[in-house]
Amino acid sequence: MSAGRAAGRPAGKGKNVVVIGTQWGDEGKGKIVDWLTEQVSGVVRFQGGHNAGHTLVVNGKKTILRLIPSGILHPGVTCYIGNGVVLSPSALLGEIDELQANQIDVESRLKISFACPLILPYHVALDQAREAARGDAKIGTTGRGIGPAYEDKVARRAIRLLDLRQPDVLRAKLTEAMGLHNFVLEHHLKAQPIAVDQVYNDLMSMAPRLLKMAADVPQLLYEAGLRAENLLFEGAQGSLLDIDHGTYPYVTSSNCVAGAAGAGAGVGPSRLHYVLGITKAYTTRVGGGPFPTEQVNEVGQLLAKRGNEFGSVTGRPRRCGWFDAAALRRAMQINGVTGLCITKLDVMDGMEEVKLCVGYNTPQGHIDVLPFGADAVAQCQPIYESMPGWSETTQGARKWSDLPGNAQRYLKRLSEVVGAPIAMVSTGADREDTILLDHPFE
């Protein structure tokens, strides 16, 4: 049951839960959002773009979502894309077509904020040309135009979804913005400029479909609150990639922390009742940037192989290492995490020894929380605690008592070192492979 359970709550008792990643992304948020959607009437995406993917496995069938909230697989649930998302029109419509080809109704249930900035071809060209120009110093972006689109938003020259309602205004805004960007592409980055007419014509051809889904999302969410409906707010990437709080400059271009749900969807912070932090039982990172517990050895290779650690959107291999509690403490601070969900525990089955990083040695002395900035993080030498592993399988376990004793002890120590209770444990990719200890909605 989906909306019914939420609608049945007493008046004024609707609950809103924010799901965020607490590491460098790829923590398995999509599966958890999908699982929790049975309790809600709506799922809200509040930041990022189509540079991050959520992989869902339901009854053995895999679905990869990039822009559309993970609740779309539940009939009757409304999905919202908030103003904090930068939206690629072509990527969105392509994703919708993929889902609808599999008999999933999308367009009647998807509401997109009028205020969403659009990612357009010149943003992609800028992103890719900049990375190429950086050479070995490249940041490791996905090349999908996310950063340049956020830059335009902050510079107040973004093309927003609502601009598609006024063709003359749209053309004038495109001409002005593209005059600047084409100059940079051609004369600074030595790349090909983008034709204004082509971008304009493509947008006009997509506008009718897009505008049918456009909505005043803050108003709709406010009305859902008045009806005491439960809502789920879904973040992309992870807290350590946050533009302000992550390992800058090796970060994404948006705020990934729980507080961004308010600004990125248009709801007051008092309406965000529970923050569920998703973390793997080990640690991964994609792209450039420091990674204190990275294992460039057989351990890292084993985790990557067993965890299928490749980006769901880009296919890029993920760097793998031991669990980093010091990094997670930073995520606890900046998110106000209520409870943790540990994912991919089954990947560590069969390891003779497992390790937890509990702090760092640095040139300035011992610290127990991830410092600010990439340069400082690069100087961190992890301090490990070793624990015995377990030979029994945890895959598919659905009760705490089903877990091997050493796996239980590992999770308890993880929770103790981080300073947050464990609410859920994911023991496999399928929706039902989940141990529930403390339900965020109950």
Side-chain angles (χ1 to χ4, degrees):
M1 149 167 80
S2 55
R5 226 184 279 183
R9 294 177 69 88
K13 295 295 185 181
K15 192 171 184 181
N16 297 332
V17 172
V18 185
V19 175
I20 51 95
T22 58
Q23 297 167 308
W24 281 285
D26 309 307
E27 299 94 348
K29 297 179 291 294
K31 171 198 165 173
I32 303 305
V33 170
D34 175 64
W35 191 88
L36 288 171
T37 297
E38 292 194 354
Q39 296 282 335
V40 306
S41 66
V43 180
V44 189
R45 171 79 180 271
F46 61 84
Q47 51 80 217
H50 64 302
N51 56 335
H54 288 166
T55 301
L56 312 180
V57 181
V58 182
N59 297 325
K61 183 177 180 180
K62 180 187 292 187
T63 300
I64 297 176
L65 301 172
R66 295 166 287 277
L67 279 166
I68 297 171
S70 302
I72 200 67
L73 299 186
H74 291 255
V77 172
T78 303
C79 289
Y80 304 88
I81 295 179
N83 55 276
V85 173
V86 284
L87 190 76
S88 166
S90 58
L92 175 68
L93 294 180
E95 191 172 334
I96 289 173
D97 290 341
E98 288 175 17
L99 290 167
Q100 295 192 156
N102 287 308
Q103 313 307 314
I104 298 170
D105 174 32
V106 179
E107 292 190 43
S108 69
R109 296 194 287 129
L110 183 61
K111 310 298 179 186
I112 310 169
S113 173
F114 279 116
C116 278
L118 302 183
I119 301 175
L120 298 173
Y122 52 89
H123 295 127
V124 178
L126 283 166
D127 198 356
Q128 295 177 357
R130 286 175 183 171
E131 281 288 88
R134 290 187 180 106
D136 292 340
K138 63 184 178 181
I139 292 171
T141 78
T142 58
R144 284 167 164 74
I146 311 298
Y150 274 117
E151 290 173 31
D152 273 3
K153 172 184 176 177
V154 175
R156 292 166 291 194
R157 57 172 171 258
I159 307 300
R160 303 199 294 176
L161 184 57
L162 58 83
D163 292 324
L164 302 188
R165 300 185 298 186
Q166 298 178 282
D168 292 344
V169 172
L170 173 64
R171 181 180 280 279
K173 288 186 174 183
L174 277 174
T175 301
E176 181 179 359
M178 293 182 69
L180 169 65
H181 292 315
N182 276 333
F183 181 86
V184 173
L185 281 168
E186 194 170 6
H187 298 289
H188 177 58
L189 295 170
K190 311 303 180 187
Q192 289 296 313
I194 306 296
V196 175
D197 284 347
Q198 185 65 54
V199 175
Y200 174 80
N201 292 335
D202 288 346
L203 278 174
M204 285 288 82
S205 69
M206 293 183 282
R209 282 184 76 185
L210 292 168
L211 289 174
K212 283 182 181 178
M213 296 177 281
D216 183 343
V217 167
Q219 179 68 23
L220 294 178
L221 298 178
Y222 178 75
E223 292 170 355
L226 293 179
R227 295 191 296 269
E229 296 178 8
N230 290 353
L231 296 172
L232 198 56
F233 291 78
E234 173 184 39
Q237 288 91 30
S239 302
L240 303 183
L241 292 174
D242 184 275
I243 186 67
D244 289 308
H245 302 285
T247 48
Y248 191 93
Y250 299 96
V251 292
T252 193
S253 303
S254 60
N255 288 113
C256 314
V257 293
V267 300
S270 63
R271 293 173 57 203
L272 305 175
H273 307 119
Y274 188 107
V275 177
L276 182 66
I278 314 299
T279 180
K280 283 177 180 167
Y282 50 100
T283 309
T284 64
R285 179 164 196 166
V286 170
F291 180 0
T293 64
E294 182 175 11
Q295 298 296 299
V296 187
N297 53 29
E298 292 181 358
V299 170
Q301 293 169 8
L302 177 65
L303 292 171
K305 181 178 180 180
R306 295 192 61 189
N308 191 30
E309 296 295 354
F310 297 91
S312 57
V313 170
T314 64
R316 293 187 297 175
R318 297 176 187 140
R319 301 151 63 192
C320 297
W322 294 118
F323 184 84
D324 191 337
L328 208 69
R329 287 193 193 102
R330 175 66 71 184
M332 299 299 102
Q333 293 174 3
I334 60 180
N335 287 291
V337 169
T338 316
L340 286 172
C341 173
I342 311 299
T343 64
K344 290 200 166 184
L345 179 66
D346 54 300
V347 172
M348 301 178 76
D349 291 353
M351 301 183 81
E352 291 185 8
E353 179 187 48
V354 294
K355 293 184 179 181
L356 287 168
C357 168
V358 295
Y360 309 119
N361 285 320
T362 75
Q364 292 74 40
H366 170 81
I367 58 175
D368 60 8
V369 67
L370 191 78
F372 274 104
D375 291 343
V377 175
Q379 294 182 314
C380 291
Q381 297 298 316
I383 301 168
Y384 289 115
E385 285 187 7
S386 295
M387 301 182 67
W390 51 93
S391 58
E392 310 94 321
T393 183
T394 64
Q395 186 169 12
R398 298 180 183 180
K399 295 186 297 183
W400 179 262
S401 59
D402 292 338
L403 295 177
N406 282 349
Q408 292 181 20
R409 283 184 279 276
Y410 175 72
L411 292 176
K412 287 178 179 177
R413 181 57 180 155
L414 183 157
S415 173
E416 180 183 5
V417 173
V418 168
I422 295 175
M424 303 169 66
V425 181
S426 173
T427 58
D430 197 88
R431 178 189 284 169
E432 300 306 320
D433 293 341
T434 305
I435 297 171
L436 177 64
L437 301 174
D438 179 30
H439 204 303
F441 279 107
E442 294 176 359

